[in-house]
Amino acid sequence: MGEGMKRFLGTLCLLALASCSGTSGGDKAETGLAADNWVTPGGDIGKSHYSTLTDINRDNVGTLGLAWQAELGTGRGLEATPVVIDGVLYTSGVAGRVYAYDGASGKELWRFEPPVDMQVNRTACCDMVNRGVSVARGKVYVVALDGWMYALDQKSGKVVWKADTVVDRKRGDTSTGAPEVAGDVVVIGNAGAEYDVRGAVSAFDLETGKLAWRFFVVPRDPKLGPQDHPDLAPALKTWDPNSRWDIGGGGAPWDAINYDPETGLVLVGTGNGGPYATSKRSPSGGDNLYIGSIVALDAKTGRLKWHYQETPGDNWDYTSTAPMILTRLKVDGEERPVVLHAPKNGFLYVLDRRDGKLLRANPIVRVNWADGVDMKTGRPRLTPEKADYTSGPKIVFPSTTGARNWHPAAYDPESGLYIGSVQDMGNAIYMTPGQKPHQTKMLNNDAALLFTSDLQAILPGLPPPLRDAIAARPEMAWVKANPSGTELRALDPLTGKTRWAYKMAGWQDRGGALATAGGLVFQGSIDGHFRVFDKASGKLLKQIDTGSSILAAPMTYKVGGVQYVAVMAAWGGGGYPYVPPYSAAYKRGNQGRILVFRLGGGPVPIPPELPALEPAPVPPAQAAGVTPQTIAQGMTLFMGHCALCHANQPRSITPDLRRMSEGTHAAFRQIVLEGLLLPNGMPRWDDRLNAKDVDAIHAYLVDLQAKTRAAELEKQKRGQPLDTPGLTILSNY
Ligand code: CA
C-alpha cells in the first residue's frame, strides 16, 4: 500500500463514524481498511470489500469449515453484506428485517421485523430484498421495503425513531438499499424506476430522524411551478417539456450511496429512466439529467457539487446504481482520490472523486450501444444504428441485467485489482406499440426484452416480421458465438483488462466478492458452492458445497482471536420467480440462512433434495360462459398484473399457479380481491381489478393448468423429466 493510500485511509479513520480500531484491531486497523471490525456493508468507509486479516490464508484455507449458521425462516432473496462491530454481527434480510448475532457463537442477540404492508409487493420489481444496515452512534439504521427508515438501538434492537422516506405514497416507491451515514445524517434513496417513481435521495438527522435534505434525481413537471431545488433547473433543459412527468421519470438511486469524508460529499449512483425507451419518456430526446449518473452532493445541504452521467438519456435500463468503491490510484503519474464504478452499461469508470473528472472508461464486456467514451468530453460515442430500438428491433450489448449489477466487487489495494462478477450478455429489444407482449412486459415500459441467452431458442416462435428483423441484426454473430456468460474476474481498473477469470455456473450466477490480505478471494455461487481463490492467480483453492444458493457478498471479521467469514445465502433479487435449474435453490429449495466459516470448522448441513415434480393437479371445470375470448382476456390481465411475480415456473419461489390446489381455486377471488393471503405477501387488487377481471384471470389459469397437466402426463408417459423450465424470463433488474 502506498503512503498516499495510508494517508487517505488515516483521514477516513479519523472521520469514520464507527470505530476504526475496534477493541483489538491491531496495527492494520490504522489504515482504515477492515480488520477485526467490518464497519460498513463494504467493510471500510470506501467500501472496498477488502480485509487486512491474514489468519485465513493461502496456506491454511483448506481447513475452512462451518463455524455456525442461522436459519432465517424465509424463502426469499438475501443480498446484504453484514456489518460487524466489536464481535457483534448485524445484518438485514427480507423486507428490511434486522438480525444481531454474537459473531463467535452465533447466538441471536435480537431481531427486528418492521411492520410492512405487503401491498408494497405490487411495485417491488426485484424481490423483497434488502442490502444492509448502517451502524453509528449506538444505532442500527435500516430501511424497510415500504420505504420506512428505522433507527434501532444497537444493544436491544428497539426502535429509537422511524421516518417515512417516501415522498408520494400514491406512487410505486420501495426501498432496498443500505442506508449510508454521512456526517450528521443518514442517507437513503428510493427504488422502483420500473414503476411510476421519481428518483430521490433523502437525508435524515442521525439522532432524531428529522428530514435534513432531499435531492430529486429528475425534475418535476414544469407546469406545476418551480423545481424542488436549484439543481433541477439545468436538468430540466435536458428533458422534453412534454416528458412523461406523470409517471415520475425514474432515476431511482436504489443502491450505491458512498459518503466521502475527505471531500464531505455523498456520491450517489442514480437509476434508469422510466419508461426505458427515451423516445417514450422524453420524446425529443435529451440527456435526461440526472438519470444514469453519479451525482456528488454536499452532505450538509444535499446540493449538487458535480455530476457525471455515464449513460446519457439511458435508453436501456442501464442505471448507475452498482456499488462504488472509493480509493486512491496512481493515474498517469499522479496519485488521485478516485471512485471506481462499473455500472450495468459495460464500462469501468475511474473518476477523480473531488470533481468528477473522468480519468478512465474502458469496456469490460461486449458493448455496442456506444463505441467507447470520448475522454475529452466525457461523453459516450453513441451508436444509434446499433442500439436505438425505436425504429426497429436491435440486439444491444450489454443486456438490461448489466455487465455488473448490485453484487459487490472488491478492490485489492495490494495488487491494484478490481475483483467482481462480470456478465457478458445482450438483449434483443423492440417497441411494442399498442400491444402487450406476453413474457416480457414491464409495467410502464414499452420495450420488450429478450435475453440473448435464450434468443436462438425463442426466435422461431416470434411473429415472422419481428423474427426476421432480429435474425438480420449483425450481432446475431455474437449471439451465436457466445450468447451469455458470467465470470468472476480480476480486472485492472485502469485498462479494464482481465488478469484472471473463473467461469460461473450460468449467466444468473453472479455473487458478490471479498478480497483479503491473506491472499484470498471469496465468492459464493447460486450452484451452492462457497469458493476461495488465490487472488493473484485466480486458482481455486477450496470449495465447500453448502446446498444453498449464494448471491450476497461474503465478509470477514475477527473476534476472540478467531477470523470468521460470513455470507448470507438464498436465491432471489431481480428475476427471482425464475429459479435457474442449475441452482441449489432449484434442487434443494430456498431456505435463507447466514453461513459463517472458520478454520477447522465443520461440515455445512445440506438441505435435502426436493421431491420429484408431480404432474399439475386436475383443475376445476371452467365456469359456465367461459369462452376463448375470456381466456385470452384473462391472459392479457395476468401478464399485465401478475406475471412479474408469478413466472409460473417449476420450483418458483412464488407459487406456480399452474399447480393450484382445489382450495386455492375455490378462494381465488378472495385471494386476489380481498387480500386473503396478504400476510404471505400476496397483495390485493380490488382497486384495479373487478370480479369479472379476476374471473377471466382464473379462467386463463384453469386453462393453463389443464394444458400443463396434459403436457406433463404425456412427458411422464414417455419417461421424460417434467421439470423442463420454459423460456419466460422477465427482465426486471
Ligand atoms: Ca432498472
Side-chain angles (χ1 to χ4, degrees):
M1 185 183 305
E3 278 306 308
M5 172 66 123
K6 280 186 188 152
R7 256 199 326 276
F8 160 60
L9 293 163
T11 311
L12 287 188
C13 204
L14 289 174
L15 297 167
L17 294 146
S19 155
C20 268
S21 59
T23 49
S24 54
D27 290 337
K28 280 176 178 157
E30 287 165 21
T31 61
L33 292 169
D36 292 12
N37 286 337
W38 182 273
V39 298
T40 72
D44 53 68
I45 300 300
K47 297 199 177 131
S48 53
H49 288 266
Y50 169 84
S51 171
T52 56
L53 294 178
T54 55
D55 304 64
I56 302 174
N57 56 51
R58 289 184 183 98
D59 300 326
N60 60 21
V61 72
T63 73
L64 195 73
L66 192 74
W68 58 269
Q69 66 155 357
E71 307 226 359
L72 300 184
T74 80
R76 302 295 287 262
L78 297 172
E79 296 186 350
T81 319
V83 165
V84 169
I85 312 273
D86 297 339
V88 178
L89 183 149
Y90 306 90
T91 194
S92 67
V94 171
R97 293 172 193 167
V98 183
Y99 307 87
Y101 296 96
D102 180 303
S105 69
K107 179 177 180 260
E108 183 175 307
L109 303 175
W110 54 261
R111 71 165 64 187
F112 167 71
E113 299 200 1
V116 175
D117 179 353
M118 289 298 172
Q119 283 295 108
V120 74
N121 272 335
R122 282 192 7 187
T123 53
C125 74
C126 302
D127 203 352
M128 298 161 67
V129 294
N130 190 278
R131 279 177 299 279
V133 299
S134 184
V135 183
R137 298 196 195 172
K139 289 185 269 298
V140 179
Y141 300 90
V142 71
V143 73
L145 185 65
D146 60 6
W148 277 89
M149 169 110 85
Y150 294 87
L152 308 172
D153 181 89
Q154 191 178 343
K155 289 242 159 22
S156 68
K158 295 269 183 307
V159 176
V160 178
W161 58 255
K162 62 176 191 166
D164 190 357
T165 72
V166 175
V167 180
D168 181 354
R169 284 271 164 203
K170 288 194 284 295
R171 293 189 182 274
D173 294 65
T174 51
S175 199
T176 59
E180 174 78 342
V181 172
D184 295 324
V185 294
V186 55
V187 185
I188 190 69
N190 59 353
E194 270 63 39
Y195 301 90
D196 60 337
V197 163
R198 184 182 178 207
V201 54
S202 310
F204 299 88
D205 182 276
L206 280 177
E207 301 297 341
T208 65
K210 186 169 173 281
L211 182 71
W213 51 258
R214 174 170 285 137
F215 178 87
F216 284 97
V217 175
V218 302
R220 67 171 182 162
D221 186 346
K223 291 190 202 75
L224 296 176
Q227 294 298 323
D228 310 78
H229 54 79
D231 306 311
L232 290 173
L236 186 61
K237 299 191 180 110
T238 67
W239 291 74
D240 187 316
N242 296 311
S243 289
R244 288 294 306 275
W245 310 116
D246 58 317
I247 60 167
W254 53 266
D255 193 38
I257 303 179
N258 289 52
Y259 177 53
D260 181 354
E262 217 178 25
T263 59
L265 299 176
V266 180
L267 273 52
V268 179
T270 68
N272 58 276
Y276 291 166
T278 316
S279 59
K280 292 284 179 182
R281 182 193 327 128
S282 174
S284 59
D287 287 351
N288 291 187
L289 290 171
Y290 298 96
I291 67 166
S293 304
I294 297 175
V295 294
L297 310 177
D298 184 324
K300 291 200 160 48
T301 63
R303 291 294 309 278
L304 185 72
K305 291 297 180 185
W306 59 260
H307 74 277
Y308 177 72
Q309 191 174 38
E310 293 171 328
T311 314
D314 190 352
N315 201 17
W316 309 277
D317 184 25
Y318 278 157
T319 85
S320 287
T321 59
M324 292 180 262
I325 292 173
L326 312 187
T327 187
R328 293 186 85 90
L329 277 185
K330 199 167 191 182
V331 185
D332 304 327
E334 187 189 341
E335 190 177 273
R336 289 173 180 269
V338 298
V339 50
L340 308 180
H341 195 223
K344 286 162 73 177
N345 78 11
F347 290 93
L348 171 52
Y349 297 87
V350 183
L351 304 176
D352 189 314
R353 58 187 147 85
R354 293 170 297 193
D355 55 11
K357 182 181 163 51
L358 179 68
L359 302 172
R360 290 290 188 278
N362 289 299
I364 56 173
V365 291
R366 291 173 291 182
V367 172
N368 75 342
W369 65 274
D371 175 24
V373 176
D374 183 324
M375 294 303 291
K376 282 218 169 61
T377 62
R379 294 182 67 87
R381 292 185 295 267
L382 297 176
T383 49
E385 70 283 4
K386 292 177 183 166
D388 182 358
Y389 50 87
T390 306
S391 54
K394 297 287 189 312
I395 301 176
V396 184
F397 281 76
S399 83
T400 50
T401 58
R404 290 210 17 87
N405 204 299
W406 63 265
H407 322 75
Y411 175 69
D412 175 29
E414 291 174 78
S415 64
L417 292 173
Y418 177 91
I419 302 163
S421 58
V422 174
Q423 183 186 90
D424 185 12
M425 184 167 85
N427 288 124
I429 312 184
Y430 56 95
M431 301 300 293
T432 57
Q435 60 161 321
K436 296 196 190 297
H438 313 132
Q439 304 179 336
T440 49
K441 179 72 179 173
M442 288 297 298
L443 294 179
N444 289 330
N445 286 298
D446 300 279
L449 313 166
L450 304 172
F451 294 151
T452 55
S453 58
D454 299 320
L455 191 56
Q456 285 168 282
I458 289 173
L459 264 185
L462 294 178
L466 178 62
R467 179 194 66 201
D468 297 344
I470 292 174
R473 297 301 308 164
E475 290 81 9
M476 277 310 289
W478 280 2
V479 176
K480 285 172 185 159
N482 173 18
S484 64
T486 295
E487 293 177 335
L488 174 65
R489 288 191 194 167
L491 301 165
D492 179 338
L494 293 178
T495 65
K497 294 260 185 313
T498 299
R499 288 279 181 82
W500 57 259
Y502 180 86
K503 194 168 168 50
M504 304 299 291
W507 66 263
Q508 300 98 333
D509 191 13
R510 46 191 331 195
L514 160 70
T516 74
L520 304 175
V521 170
F522 296 81
Q523 191 200 31
S525 163
I526 66 171
D527 74 8
H529 287 90
F530 188 63
R531 297 194 176 96
V532 191
F533 302 88
D534 183 317
K535 75 180 180 188
S537 66
K539 186 181 171 219
L540 180 64
L541 299 175
K542 171 81 177 173
Q543 60 178 342
I544 298 172
D545 187 5
T546 71
S548 291
S549 291
I550 302 170
L551 287 166
M555 52 77 68
T556 188
Y557 61 96
K558 190 167 169 179
V559 54
V562 177
Q563 184 185 352
Y564 297 88
V565 178
V567 69
M568 300 193 74
W571 163 256
Y576 68 97
Y578 176 86
V579 182
Y582 59 85
S583 68
Y586 192 88
K587 202 170 167 186
R588 302 179 185 278
N590 198 43
Q591 290 308 306
R593 47 184 176 158
I594 301 171
L595 299 168
V596 182
F597 302 91
R598 59 172 288 178
L599 293 179
V604 179
I606 295 182
E609 282 193 30
L610 296 175
L613 210 63
E614 292 289 325
V618 184
Q622 287 286 15
V626 166
T627 64
Q629 286 73 27
T630 319
I631 292 168
Q633 188 209 353
M635 179 165 83
T636 302
L637 288 167
F638 181 86
M639 293 302 164
H641 295 86
C642 322
L644 188 63
C645 299
H646 292 283
N648 285 347
Q649 294 284 345
R651 312 247 157 107
S652 174
I653 60 175
T654 52
D656 178 352
L657 301 178
R658 304 167 309 172
R659 298 173 192 283
M660 280 191 283
S661 68
E662 219 174 304
T664 307
H665 280 290
F668 196 82
R669 265 200 201 176
Q670 288 95 309
I671 292 169
V672 182
L673 290 177
E674 295 169 24
L676 193 64
L677 298 181
L678 189 63
N680 299 17
M682 168 65 198
R684 57 193 288 165
W685 288 89
D686 51 341
D687 59 329
R688 294 270 285 271
L689 301 171
N690 59 35
K692 196 165 157 263
D693 297 331
V694 175
D695 289 350
I697 292 171
H698 190 221
Y700 161 65
L701 290 170
V702 167
D703 184 63
L704 187 64
Q705 184 163 336
K707 285 176 174 153
T708 302
R709 177 172 168 80
E712 289 179 342
L713 287 173
E714 187 59 31
K715 277 186 185 171
Q716 203 175 44
K717 212 165 75 187
R718 292 189 200 152
Q720 294 169 340
L722 299 189
D723 51 350
T724 317
L727 294 166
T728 308
I729 302 169
L730 288 146
S731 167
N732 47 8
Y733 289 76

